Amino acid sequence: MAGDLHAIASASGNSHAADGIAATPSNSHAADGIAVAPGGFHPADGTPGAAPVAGDVYGTATAGVRVALEAGVAGAGPLGLRRRWDLAHAVAPVLAAAFAHAPLRHGRPSGWRSTRQALRRHLPPVPPAPPGGGPRAAWTALVLDAPVAGAGRTFRSWCRSGPGDRPTVADLHRHLAGLRPPVAARGHLVLDVADRQPGDGWRVPLAVITALLDDPRAAAQAEAATLGLAATPRLWERAARDALTDPALAAAARECFLAAYAALARQGAARPTRDAVADFTERYVLRGRCPADDVLDAMAARP
């Protein structure tokens, strides 16, 4: 892998490229803590604006709520990079199930509660890291092994091609911009797990994700709630298709949302934010539902 890391560093002209974090161009929305993806899927229709690349399990730029948070600090502890990376991946399918809101394709039920997340149905709960590697190595491996759009090869194989066919800095940036894994490292962590929510419902995934990763007590509770999910087969498939009708995902979601609400209360979050989280938890999470179920119910009620 060392040669591949050097190839990325050379292409990007970035001395930090090999650490797998700073190699990615910065996100102008990072300071806002949230970025909403452009174009792509309509929140309830799920119709893609552009067809995904064959074999691309990481998805393309689609309509969803992407939350940007600090990557973490060196070393162990609740705010350590390794713990935040692992926790983000642990809660990602749970939150994707809770915030599923794309059950239609071309105006008809697709069979998925999130057609958007269905692109990720073959993902493992946590991406494998090279032996002895941590989050930086895992992210670098993901970037290298992801298919290059329209090229029919991975970025790793491209880096190993002949001298006249190696990727440029523009090629690297284009490749990175097209990657939409559930958890990305872009100089900070980006969680792309929530479909676009009705109205101003974007506040709920922003508040819940921030609370679970930034509050040490909520983080510990989320770790405990998701501990058994890593060995659950086809977890992303179940999250996209069944959402919170899946008992294991529903149980983890209840614990995570209750932990997030308690963290928001401890931190003195604004009352409208706490109320929005409480309303979402009661309307959906505690009842084993997600916003996609409202769409499907309305479709079923049509004469």
Side-chain angles (χ1 to χ4, degrees), residues 212 221 253-263 266 277 281 285-286:
L212 291 179
Q221 291 171 317
R254 286 193 297 271
E255 295 301 320
C256 287
F257 273 75
L258 293 174
Y261 181 82
R266 282 194 301 272
V277 172
T281 302
V285 179
L286 297 183

Side-chain angles (χ1 to χ4, degrees), residues 6-261:
H6 178 71
I8 288 182
S10 298
S12 67
N14 186 335
S15 62
H16 296 288
D19 70 11
I21 297 292
T24 310
S26 62
N27 185 328
S28 61
H29 295 284
D32 302 327
I34 187 168
V36 181
F41 289 90
H42 183 279
D45 187 286
T47 304
V53 178
D56 180 10
V57 299
Y58 302 108
T60 54
T62 56
V65 181
R66 295 204 300 273
V67 180
L69 298 172
E70 291 290 339
V73 298
L79 298 180
L81 170 60
R82 179 62 178 264
R83 187 180 185 189
R84 287 170 69 80
W85 176 261
D86 290 343
L87 178 58
H89 282 92
V91 300
V94 176
L95 297 175
F99 294 118
H101 188 225
L104 307 182
R105 183 176 175 83
H106 302 305
R108 298 184 159 210
S110 65
W112 303 92
R113 282 177 169 81
S114 176
T115 307
R116 191 174 81 97
Q117 298 294 355
L119 293 170
R120 297 165 172 167
R121 60 187 177 275
H122 300 302
L123 285 180
V126 178
R136 293 178 174 87
W139 173 246
T140 301
L142 185 151
V143 171
L144 288 168
D145 293 329
V148 178
R153 57 181 171 179
T154 66
F155 202 82
R156 185 188 298 276
S157 64
W158 195 2
C159 288
R160 293 175 176 176
S161 59
D165 187 38
R166 287 180 182 162
T168 65
V169 61
D171 295 323
L172 173 62
H173 286 185
R174 199 161 34 243
H175 177 62
L176 289 167
L179 292 180
R180 290 289 181 265
V183 181
R186 304 192 184 279
H188 47 269
L189 293 182
V190 179
L191 280 77
D192 179 16
V193 295
D195 292 335
R196 187 180 293 170
Q197 300 297 294
D200 60 359
W202 58 266
R203 296 180 301 166
V204 179
L206 173 58
V208 170
I209 291 170
T210 303
L212 291 179
L213 266 74
D214 286 357
D215 183 271
R217 193 185 309 179
Q221 291 171 317
E223 284 176 332
T226 57
L227 188 60
L229 293 180
T232 301
R234 305 188 314 277
L235 189 61
W236 274 101
E237 177 183 340
R238 291 159 59 173
R241 183 188 61 229
D242 305 324
L244 297 189
T245 63
D246 182 281
L249 288 167
R254 286 193 297 271
E255 295 301 320
C256 287
F257 273 75
L258 293 174
Y261 181 82

